[in-house]
Amino acid sequence: MDEEILGILRAKLNLSDNAIISREQSFADAGLPIMTDLIIEDGSKIFLVEIKSRVTIDTIARLNLLKQVLKTRSEIKYASNLFPVVAGKVIPPREEALAKEVAITLVQLPHSIKLSTSEYSPKKRIKITSEKAWRVISRLLKERTTSIRQLALLEDVSYGWAHATIQSLISQGIVTKKGNYVSIFDVNKLLNGVAWERPFENLRATEITIDYNSAILAAQEISHALKIQESKFAFTSYTAGGLYTGYAVRHDAIYLYLEKKEFEFFKDVFGNRKNTGIKARIYLPDRVVFSDKREIESIIVTSPAQTLLDLAGLGYSGLDIAKVMVDGYARI
């Protein structure tokens, strides 16, 4: 650890000789896929420190979000007396003003100082909800225990990508490795990470009341009609999850992906202007969701991998059915 940087931090933050400095603190236990470069505990004060060559809005936003979330969770160790800090060689005026506005301390580092990328840059984090990463992860859920090379072969991705994905998950405590074999170690952290990265409800485009009292019947008849129309669609979330698992889910709504150009047709054909009946919650896809769809009980549904991703994206409300689906994923 660079003593020059620590010396600057000690002076700028007015640290005592008793300050305890820890490297690379993960907050996965708080359901946050975020890591800071340093945690400094000095008496009752706790400093969350990021060290950057250039201070960016993204760094400020992540630290501010981390501070706000932790302060609302009294059961977490870092719930009070939090002081976010960004130390950087380049601090643009816009970022300086923004940091001041959200009470983040900026520490100017000398331009001549050398930062070790391996020591002070956050370890590369793969976005676990990206299409390629989720293919690797969902395959690992299906295989239970396998090698990284086998994951790459089964999902037709490069070994380098599969390795980077798994290493990122290992660093977060989600995956464990024994010899050449890897397996999911903490399902809760995985599902929490998905909910944080890709909240499913952010994809909801509209909600329409339809003239049905049964979700299953509605999904069957809508599937039939949209197939004839040659529309691109697929039911997902609770609708698909219930069909895959047999898990009892709410029956007051159906959930489906639909292309935007089909919205008016859907509303004209199935909408109920009396506002009586169940709800159709319609989502715009953020990736390819129609290529691997399946048909179950005459209902067109998203693939198991996509369905699990969407259920996990519901956060706490979808946690139970997501766990049920993970438990039986190898059999689906």
Side-chain angles (χ1 to χ4, degrees), residues 8 30 37-38 88 102 156 170 175 193 201 205 250 262-263 268 321:
I8 293 169
D37 293 317
L38 300 173
V102 296
D156 193 25
I170 290 173
V175 165
E201 284 301 306
R250 54 189 300 178
E262 305 286 354
F263 285 7
D268 289 343
I321 187 171

Side-chain angles (χ1 to χ4, degrees), residues 35 40 49 89 91 99 101 112 149 155 168 181 237 240 271 277 281 290-291 299 303 316:
M35 178 180 282
I40 302 176
V49 184
K89 294 164 66 174
I91 304 176
E101 191 174 323
S112 60
R149 186 169 300 280
E155 289 303 318
S168 180
Y181 292 90
S237 187
R281 293 182 177 175
F290 303 125
S291 60
I299 299 170
S303 67
Y316 183 77

Side-chain angles (χ1 to χ4, degrees), residues 115-188:
L115 302 182
S116 168
T117 55
S118 62
E119 187 170 359
Y120 292 116
S121 294
K123 292 180 179 179
K124 185 177 180 181
R125 291 300 183 100
I126 299 294
K127 188 176 181 183
I128 61 177
T129 60
S130 71
E131 291 189 65
K132 282 203 298 183
W134 189 249
R135 280 165 56 192
V136 172
I137 294 166
S138 58
R139 173 58 66 174
L140 180 55
L141 286 169
K142 189 172 186 67
E143 301 299 320
R144 300 288 189 177
T145 299
T146 188
S147 67
I148 296 175
R149 186 169 300 280
Q150 188 68 6
L151 290 172
L153 290 172
L154 289 170
E155 289 303 318
D156 193 25
V157 300
S158 70
Y159 176 81
W161 177 265
H163 184 270
T165 300
I166 295 302
Q167 285 301 122
S168 180
L169 294 173
I170 290 173
S171 73
Q172 297 174 65
I174 294 173
V175 165
T176 186
K177 184 177 182 181
K178 293 183 179 179
N180 292 326
Y181 292 90
V182 293
S183 58
I184 299 293
F185 175 73
D186 194 323
V187 170
N188 284 338

